[in-house]
Amino acid sequence: MKKKLLFIPLLFLLILAVGYIFLCSQVLPFSNEENTETVKIEIQYGESTQSIINKLKENNLIKNEKICYILARKPALMNFLIPLKGSDTNFSLKSGTYYLSPNMNIAQIFAELSSGKQEYQKVSIPEGLTISAIAKILEENRICSASDFIKSCSSETILQKYNIPGTTCEGYLFPDTYYLNVNMESDFIVEHFIENFIENLKSIPNYAEKTPEELFEIVTLASIVEKEYKVKEEAPLIASVFKNRIRHNIGLYSCATIVYIITEIQGKPHPNRILTKDTKIDNPYNTYKWAGLTPGPISNPGLTALDAVINTPKTSYFFFQVKDEKKGTHVFTETFEEHKTNH
């Protein structure tokens, strides 16, 4: 009887030992071979733990997905595994791009996936692009979908957060070279662009904090100047022409606003040239038909255009037209008669 009673706990301990050894074997490195190649694993924002475990199994990085799933959900259990004792088990799987090796045990893999390491993608946003054009670049670089970005640019939450009076963030997305991650949240990208815009404004001489409405007017005019100038030195003069026209309630007569209507509002291809009929389109963005500023920005201006509007020189110019199309230079005149002479 005593032998039978002694046998039961010994059998139980043996089963525990075998189970423990089996668990340890399942979380050890998938491969012990030297010089194994690393595997690129991309974890998307919001991806489920099960999906991540499945990717690890599909790429031969783990032996047992069920055990790994349990450890991912209950990381404290790793403390009971001797080969992994002392490892940091306070992990949380994060989105990012990781390079993992079959030589890594599950604790090392989880530690890496908890680091949030990102593979940055260099993305250049040129001056003068619209929201839709920027969205296309981001989608081409797999940063986020174009539709998500456009939607975020109209987010009431974001517009209120940054006190933007318009219906979109058009004009506030600063043109720059950014290092972004694949599959980023579109809201985060938009806010990152806006915060960069705010930071760069501080570098402009004579810039002081403006009311949201004053800044909106600056950005709107700068967005038009951005599309009109080709030579940096002429940007302030173009801004002076527009400001003189606004003061005298004269239409800006900017072809760029017509292009905006055709491409962004009507959704048509970029025209090769502006026709007379185009200047008669009944739209509030038509500066041939209505005097003053457009209802909102028509592009996202850079520092040159913003500086030109903030530090506009006083001139008597009311007209400008292309002088050298190849060089992009203009001739500036004070009267319509001079303008016609140079036409």
Side-chain angles (χ1 to χ4, degrees):
M1 185 68 178
K2 288 183 178 179
K3 290 183 178 180
K4 186 178 286 188
L5 291 174
L6 184 62
F7 176 75
I8 293 173
L10 286 175
L11 179 62
F12 180 70
L13 289 174
L14 180 61
I15 293 172
L16 284 178
V18 172
Y20 181 76
I21 293 171
F22 173 75
L23 284 175
C24 289
S25 68
Q26 295 304 296
V27 296
L28 289 175
F30 185 88
S31 172
N32 291 319
E33 296 180 10
E34 295 183 1
N35 301 319
T36 55
E37 293 184 2
T38 57
V39 179
K40 181 180 178 180
I41 299 292
E42 289 186 2
I43 306 300
Q44 299 182 13
Y45 178 82
E47 188 166 359
S48 69
T49 301
Q50 186 61 63
S51 175
I52 295 171
I53 297 298
N54 290 343
K55 283 184 179 179
L56 297 177
K57 180 63 176 176
E58 290 167 4
N59 286 278
N60 295 325
L61 292 167
I62 59 174
K63 295 179 179 180
N64 192 308
E65 65 267 38
K66 290 182 179 179
I67 292 174
C68 289
Y69 178 80
I70 293 171
L71 292 175
R73 298 300 298 271
K74 305 288 183 180
L77 292 176
M78 281 193 181
N79 289 327
F80 294 98
L81 304 179
I82 293 175
L84 308 177
K85 194 172 182 179
S87 63
D88 182 10
T89 57
N90 296 318
F91 61 81
S92 175
L93 306 185
K94 300 176 181 176
S95 61
T97 302
Y98 305 93
Y99 289 88
L100 306 175
S101 168
N103 293 134
M104 299 168 71
N105 62 42
I106 191 61
Q108 293 169 323
I109 290 175
F110 281 177
E112 188 72 10
L113 295 180
S114 301
S115 67
K117 288 183 179 179
Q118 305 287 343
E119 183 178 55
Y120 292 108
Q121 187 98 341
K122 183 179 179 181
V123 180
S124 294
I125 307 298
E127 291 88 349
L129 295 189
T130 59
I131 286 174
S132 62
I134 294 174
K136 185 178 179 182
I137 291 175
L138 294 175
E139 184 167 273
E140 288 172 349
N141 285 275
R142 300 185 300 122
I143 305 302
C144 70
S145 72
S147 59
D148 283 349
F149 182 76
I150 292 171
K151 184 178 179 181
S152 291
C153 285
S154 298
S155 166
E156 285 293 333
T157 302
I158 294 177
L159 292 171
Q160 290 175 11
K161 179 178 179 178
Y162 294 101
N163 295 313
I164 299 175
T167 56
T168 72
C169 298
E170 192 83 88
Y172 293 78
L173 308 174
F174 192 73
D176 206 344
T177 296
Y178 294 91
Y179 292 87
L180 305 171
N181 311 130
V182 172
N183 300 316
M184 289 183 76
E185 280 189 280
S186 54
D187 281 7
F188 176 85
I189 301 170
V190 172
E191 291 193 21
H192 183 46
F193 287 2
I194 295 173
E195 286 174 6
N196 193 25
F197 165 81
I198 294 170
E199 191 61 31
N200 274 275
L201 274 179
K202 299 174 184 176
S203 68
I204 298 177
N206 303 315
Y207 175 75
E209 289 294 328
K210 307 289 183 182
T211 66
E213 290 71 28
E214 289 172 334
L215 181 57
F216 188 68
E217 289 187 358
I218 289 172
V219 174
T220 299
L221 182 54
S223 75
I224 300 174
V225 172
E226 181 67 60
K227 302 297 288 185
E228 293 285 358
Y229 89 89
K230 294 294 184 291
V231 178
K232 182 178 179 179
E233 290 72 23
E234 291 187 353
L237 297 178
I238 291 175
S240 75
V241 169
F242 287 147
K243 283 191 174 183
N244 288 338
R245 284 175 161 265
I246 290 172
R247 288 192 198 98
H248 289 78
N249 199 35
I250 302 172
L252 301 184
Y253 279 56
S254 169
C255 290
T257 63
I258 304 300
V259 172
Y260 181 83
I261 294 170
I262 295 172
T263 60
E264 298 298 318
I265 298 176
Q266 296 182 344
K268 297 178 181 179
H270 194 291
N272 293 324
R273 59 193 181 95
I274 301 300
L275 305 175
T276 302
K277 67 174 184 177
D278 297 327
T279 63
K280 297 178 181 179
I281 297 174
D282 188 16
N283 188 284
Y285 278 86
N286 187 345
T287 54
Y288 281 80
K289 193 176 180 72
W290 310 104
L293 288 172
T294 51
I298 65 167
S299 74
N300 290 278
L303 277 179
T304 297
L306 288 165
D307 184 33
V309 173
I310 293 171
N311 295 291
T312 309
K314 290 184 178 179
T315 73
S316 300
Y317 297 138
F318 279 84
F319 304 92
F320 68 92
Q321 62 187 58
V322 177
K323 178 182 180 181
D324 189 320
E325 196 164 336
K326 190 174 182 180
K327 294 180 179 178
T329 55
H330 296 81
V331 56
F332 296 84
T333 52
E334 298 180 8
T335 67
F336 185 60
E337 285 70 25
E338 291 176 302
H339 180 66
K340 286 194 298 181
T341 302
N342 291 303
H343 204 280

